[in-house]
Amino acid sequence: MDIDVKKSAPVGVFDSGVGGLTVAREIMRHLPNENIVYFGDTARVPYGSKSKDNIIRYSRQIIHFLKTKGVKAIVIACNTASALALDVVREESDIPIIGVVEPGARAALETTKTRKIGVIGTEGTIRSAMYEKIIQGIDPEATVIGKACPLFVPLVEEGFAKHRVTQEIIDYYLASFLETDIDSLILGCTHYPLLRSRIREYVGEKITLVNPAYETAMDLKQLLKARGIENMDTRQEHAAYSFYVSDAADKFKQFANSILPYDIETTKQINIEEY
Ligand code: DGL
């Protein structure tokens, strides 16, 4: 393939739904030349309660779909899929694939002083203990306390981030962390950065919140540079972004426009089971 074509090829980003937009947002901010094809699996969300086999199957289908769009690299912008499927799909792929768990684990280790780290995520992510494995693979002395917070996802999706009932649920899930001496808390689910200010208010100054999204964008930047496939074309006002979902395109579009720096015009619905 012509090298210029390859450089301007989009980056594929996928998630179980809208959560991965928090990662896409960081890529848009820090890699402004990169074109993006985003896929949100809104028909099959949540991934957090699904089996590993299903998450691998879903991820394979999405990667297949993104490849039909000519992507040059893929970001799994979903903690659950990164924890349960990345190793398998990366092995099978002829283009680079990165996830959010490893960058998040590294960011937490850079943040912590006590080497005691909390991680919150879906049931699948916490059960996989992937954050713990990666953190302790780098620093065997580090302690990791994980907690699944499954209700955070629907609260965000239903627009309850600022609602008072959210306070009670934050208290229900996070109270036990206040009795520990963790000094860093990984927001190990792509929806949780949208509750960031509420969580910060609750846990206070002594605990730093770690959002893997920024670190993931930095990893992507490094990867594209190392392979010589960064898009250097600065002629366009901003890069081209396209959005695909497996259901409820209008709801997705509304949500995306509330959190992204640019309004998106169209979101196309596709049948992901065909891939
Ligand atoms: N995007 C998923 C994650 O980061 C959370 C939502 C879900 O359960 O599908 O783990």
Side-chain angles (χ1 to χ4, degrees), residues 223-240:
L223 171 91
L224 299 179
K225 194 169 173 200
R227 297 199 174 216
I229 52 172
E230 286 169 296
N231 191 9
M232 303 296 195
D233 187 357
T234 52
R235 283 169 303 181
Q236 37 191 0
E237 193 191 327
H238 69 73

Side-chain angles (χ1 to χ4, degrees), residues 10 29 38 43 51 55 110 162 195 202 246 249 251-252 269:
R29 277 185 190 143
Y38 183 96
S51 67
I55 301 301
E110 278 161 28
K162 298 200 170 98
L195 293 174
Y202 182 80
S246 46
K251 190 173 175 196
F252 176 91
Q269 185 178 325

Side-chain angles (χ1 to χ4, degrees), residues 119-137:
V119 53
I120 52 175
T122 64
E123 279 157 359
T125 300
I126 298 304
R127 207 177 328 112
S128 77
M130 196 51 94
Y131 272 104
E132 199 168 337
K133 285 177 201 155
I134 295 174
I135 287 171
Q136 290 179 338

Side-chain angles (χ1 to χ4, degrees), residues 247-265:
D247 202 359
D250 281 343
K251 190 173 175 196
F252 176 91
K253 194 177 127 187
Q254 232 177 9
F255 196 97
N257 285 341
S258 73
I259 67 161
L260 290 179
Y262 309 102
D263 267 4
I264 67 174
E265 277 141 39

Side-chain angles (χ1 to χ4, degrees), residues 14-25:
F14 79 86
D15 178 43
S16 55
V18 295
L21 291 168
T22 60
V23 180
R25 181 169 68 175

Side-chain angles (χ1 to χ4, degrees), residues 15-16 45-48 78-80 122 125 153 189-191:
D15 178 43
S16 55
V45 70
Y47 279 11
C78 171
N79 287 264
T80 312
T122 64
T125 300
V153 170
C189 170
T190 48
H191 286 64

